């Protein structure tokens, strides 16, 4: 289940309030802080305590595949 494009336009990182990148049905990503938020059952979980750190290799992979 994909997240609606209009919803993606208004979603923001709960930590720095900036825009997020979307990796379909997997995660939302903040490249500035290098943290990923899960998408569970088609719903983004935008809670700071659910975010996970992303290393350099995964950062590059996400940037190559994410919708901006």
């Amino acid at each position: 289940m994909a997240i609606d494009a209009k919803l993606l336009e208004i979603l923001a990182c709960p930590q720095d309030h900036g825009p997020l990148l979307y990796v379909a049905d997997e995660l939302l990503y903040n490249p500035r802080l290098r943290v990923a938020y899960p998408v569970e059952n088609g719903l983004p979980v935008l809670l700071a305590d659910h975010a996970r750190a992303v290393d350099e290799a995964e950062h590059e992979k996400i940037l190559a595949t994410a919708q901006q």
Side-chain angles (χ1 to χ4, degrees):
M1 175 186 305
I3 295 176
D4 182 72
K6 289 289 184 189
L7 178 59
L8 286 174
E9 289 178 22
I10 61 172
L11 288 176
C13 176
Q15 296 181 59
D16 74 356
H17 310 288
L20 297 164
L21 302 178
Y22 177 56
V23 177
D25 298 323
E26 191 175 336
L27 58 87
L28 288 163
Y29 181 59
N30 180 334
R32 298 166 306 285
L33 300 178
R34 293 191 180 194
V35 294
Y37 297 92
V39 174
E40 297 176 357
N41 299 317
L43 300 172
V45 181
L46 294 175
L47 301 170
D49 60 339
H50 282 81
R52 65 175 174 79
V54 171
D55 65 20
E56 182 65 29
E58 187 177 10
H59 171 78
E60 294 300 326
K61 179 182 173 189
I62 291 171
L63 291 181
T65 60
Q67 295 177 14
Q68 297 191 25

